[in-house]
Amino acid sequence: MPILKIARMGHPVLLREAEPVDDPTHPEIRRLIADMAETMQDASGIGLAAPQVHVPLRLFVWRGTPGVSALINPELEPVGEEVESAWEGCLSIPGLRGCVSRPKRIRFRGLDAGGNPVEGEAEGMTARVMQHETDHLDGVMYPMRMRDLALFGFTEELARAAGSAGR
């Protein structure tokens, strides 16, 4: 399986709304999911949306328990009012991180890699990854969600600043 090229911030594919997947069982979709999973793992990522590999379709993969999972044509909605802020990175914005507020719990539905309907609730890191990847399907990148750009910077500098703050 090939490692796919990851689109970086500024590429138009990352700023448009992705199209629904018509046939999730089509061999090309199955191959895309497998290639995306391998690409994500190769890049040490925890999630990857199809637009990030130059394919404007509504699907993403993420590291779950166990292994890698896929969600096709996802629909997400917040559960409750609770929001939490956390640092996010993105394979399309290498070397940078930002603090983003998102709903703590979500309800999701869509199709799995076999084309079977799935639904459930997620919280914590899984909910954050699903929201981040669904944003990619809507042409939204995490810096667009940030309220305070003072909390956006290079990973190395943020780590250095955090280390010196603890001294």
Side-chain angles (χ1 to χ4, degrees):
M1 288 178 263
I3 302 298
L4 305 172
K5 182 174 172 132
I6 297 173
R8 292 185 305 171
M9 185 168 63
H11 194 289
V13 74
L14 297 172
L15 297 175
R16 64 179 272 212
E17 190 169 335
E19 299 293 323
V21 175
D22 292 328
D23 180 3
T25 63
H26 193 281
E28 286 184 28
I29 298 299
R30 290 179 184 237
R31 186 171 31 260
L32 174 62
I33 290 170
D35 292 348
M36 286 174 58
E38 188 168 336
T39 300
M40 177 187 67
Q41 291 173 320
D42 180 71
S44 300
I46 57 173
L48 185 67
Q52 290 181 274
V53 292
H54 304 271
V55 179
L57 292 174
R58 296 192 71 77
L59 74 91
F60 64 84
V61 297
W62 81 97
R63 288 184 197 245
T65 307
V68 175
S69 298
L71 193 58
I72 301 169
N73 298 331
E75 297 175 28
L76 307 183
E77 62 185 65
V79 174
E81 305 278 323
E82 196 171 359
V83 172
E84 66 182 356
S85 296
W87 290 94
E88 293 187 18
C90 181
L91 296 176
S92 292
I93 312 173
L96 294 166
R97 290 204 169 289
C99 190
V100 181
S101 295
R102 296 192 184 271
K104 185 174 181 177
R105 290 184 60 82
I106 59 164
R107 184 172 295 113
F108 65 90
R109 69 180 93 16
L111 303 171
D112 67 13
N116 304 303
V118 292
E119 61 180 72
E121 290 189 7
E123 66 179 311
M125 181 59 80
T126 300
R128 179 167 295 277
V129 170
M130 291 176 121
Q131 291 173 82
H132 178 110
E133 301 310 331
T134 299
D135 272 354
H136 278 300
L137 307 182
D138 295 331
V140 175
M141 299 189 72
Y142 80 84
M144 297 170 174
R145 296 257 183 227
M146 293 181 64
R147 294 185 187 137
D148 183 357
L149 290 179
L151 299 174
F152 183 52
F154 288 97
T155 304
E156 286 180 10
E157 295 300 330
L158 294 168
R160 192 177 351 262
S164 65
R167 293 181 190 172

